[in-house]
Amino acid sequence: PDDRFENLSGFPYEPRYTDIPDGDGGTLRIHHVDEGPEDGPLVLCMHGQPTWSYLYRHMIEVFVEDGVRVVAPDLVGFGRSDKPAAREDFSYNRQVDWFNAWLEANDFRGITLVGQDWGGLIGLRIAAENPERFDKVVIANSGLPLPGDVAKETIDAVKAFRDPSTPTPTLPEMMAAISNLTSAAETGSRELGFAHWQKWTWETEDPPVGMVIAASVQAGGGEALSPEEIAAYEAPFPDASFKMGPRAMPTMVPTLPDDPAMERQKAAWKVFSEWQKPCLCAFTDNDPVTAGADTILQSRIPGAKGQPHQTIQGGGHFLQEARGRELARIVSDFVRS
């Protein structure tokens, strides 16, 4: 309902909507923000789970000041976009298909992508499948996961842990597992650590979205979110029935080799293994979720060679909250370089 989004703290932007085919004979409505000069360089800012375009409010201000046009959509299931109610609706491939259709409907070109969390996973896929529309890419605390040789015992352990018969981790247990992902990578148990987030989100019928984001921002060294900001992150979800997107999306991250998205994931990597357009990494130094992904991206994407990659001090996973203006300046300079 529109009244859920009235008078949001720091987010006065006019909503814009695009209807796209849903793949089942119906339509979906996708929301986006479009600010700045129409003839300015175009930056496409894509958010992840469980946030929405509100996450980019600090960056939008900077882009508009710098004469950059910024488009920030809401993923299906998030923000002001439509919210399918079935888990199967939220597969990785479906989100990519929906945003391919959205991109075509709006005919955006000359794009610099900024992708964080799922915004990078989906954004990089649509860039790989529509390369003629993209000029540059900025990857911020995200990646293009392609599980390789995962030990059978790890696969078995993850699947056993995620089985419904296994008790759901508590919120503190989940937060502890996520905060320890960096050290888990050294012991080869990163997949199991991330499975705590996948299992907790899926099996928690009414996850406290605003509280989880606020806790993550503070853990990353950001300022405490105000009650109004926390409420803005809860605004898209009048009740638990609207939260299938936040619940389902973590389980769709391809962490095991038998993931159904693997074939198209490999195809996207084939494109990026030959990608010559400028590609910049801007990661924080304290995000346990994506630590090390920037090294992989820089080594495997030709367009990343020689770019002014940035390691941002502090900021945690949701760097748009804690280091938004700094990230926006990095992107703005990159766009104009």
Side-chain angles (χ1 to χ4, degrees):
D2 286 342
D3 61 12
R4 297 283 298 182
F5 301 94
E6 292 177 356
N7 303 316
L8 294 183
S9 175
F11 203 73
Y13 306 115
E14 176 188 353
R16 302 171 188 267
Y17 297 101
T18 306
D19 288 331
I20 61 152
D22 66 0
D24 292 322
T27 59
L28 284 171
R29 190 177 78 160
I30 293 179
H31 163 261
H32 71 273
V33 169
D34 189 342
E35 296 293 325
E38 188 173 342
D39 60 350
L42 175 60
V43 173
L44 171 62
C45 293
M46 297 195 66
H47 72 87
Q49 182 273 353
T51 61
W52 60 292
S53 54
Y54 183 79
L55 179 68
Y56 281 100
R57 67 195 181 283
H58 304 307
M59 296 179 64
I60 292 171
E61 293 177 356
V62 174
F63 288 139
V64 173
E65 290 169 6
D66 287 356
V68 172
R69 180 184 178 189
V70 54
V71 172
D74 293 335
L75 297 181
V76 174
F78 301 82
R80 299 184 79 144
S81 292
D82 280 351
K83 298 175 181 64
R87 184 182 192 178
E88 308 78 64
D89 290 323
F90 291 97
S91 74
Y92 190 171
N93 287 341
R94 282 201 115 180
Q95 286 278 15
V96 173
D97 290 341
W98 290 332
F99 269 87
N100 281 339
W102 174 84
L103 200 61
E104 183 176 351
N106 286 283
D107 197 25
F108 293 129
R109 295 180 182 274
I111 299 167
T112 294
L113 168 71
V114 178
Q116 181 265 342
D117 191 85
W118 265 105
L121 273 70
I122 295 168
L124 290 170
R125 283 274 299 274
I126 65 172
E129 296 179 17
N130 304 270
E132 73 284 355
R133 295 182 181 274
F134 290 82
D135 288 354
K136 298 183 179 183
V137 170
V138 179
I139 310 168
N141 287 359
S142 189
L144 191 59
L146 189 68
D149 296 327
V150 181
K152 184 179 184 302
E153 54 267 29
T154 299
I155 295 173
D156 291 344
V158 169
K159 291 184 175 181
F161 179 77
R162 288 176 55 179
D163 188 273
S165 64
T166 304
T168 306
T170 64
L171 180 59
E173 288 171 342
M174 180 273 291
M175 296 291 282
I178 293 298
S179 66
N180 291 326
L181 280 178
T182 303
S183 58
E186 298 172 0
T187 62
S189 58
R190 184 177 178 83
E191 293 85 359
L192 185 57
F194 188 72
H196 281 70
W197 173 240
Q198 294 174 307
K199 186 176 178 67
W200 181 84
T201 51
W202 172 241
E203 295 182 358
T204 302
E205 293 187 6
D206 190 8
V209 170
M211 187 180 79
V212 169
I213 296 169
S216 179
V217 170
Q218 278 202 276
E223 294 183 7
L225 298 186
S226 69
E228 292 77 16
E229 289 171 319
I230 294 173
Y233 280 118
E234 286 283 356
F237 312 111
D239 59 55
S241 67
F242 288 77
K243 293 184 177 181
M244 186 56 72
R247 290 180 59 200
M249 288 300 289
T251 66
M252 305 300 176
V253 177
T255 58
L256 301 179
D258 61 351
D259 189 275
M262 284 296 286
E263 288 308 309
R264 287 175 67 179
Q265 205 76 340
K266 290 175 182 177
W269 261 115
K270 187 176 187 305
V271 173
F272 276 104
S273 68
E274 302 170 358
W275 186 275
Q276 299 291 339
K277 298 176 185 180
C279 178
L280 181 75
C281 290
F283 282 53
T284 56
D285 64 353
N286 66 339
D287 176 23
V289 179
T290 61
D294 52 342
T295 302
I296 296 170
L297 295 161
Q298 291 174 42
S299 67
R300 295 187 61 183
I301 301 176
K305 302 284 192 297
Q307 299 298 335
H309 302 291
Q310 302 289 319
T311 299
I312 297 170
Q313 303 301 305
H317 186 59
F318 297 111
L319 72 169
Q320 302 98 316
E321 273 289 352
R323 300 291 185 270
R325 296 188 70 85
E326 181 179 351
L327 176 59
R329 294 294 181 203
I330 291 169
V331 174
S332 185
D333 289 346
F334 183 60
V335 166
R336 299 185 181 282
S337 64

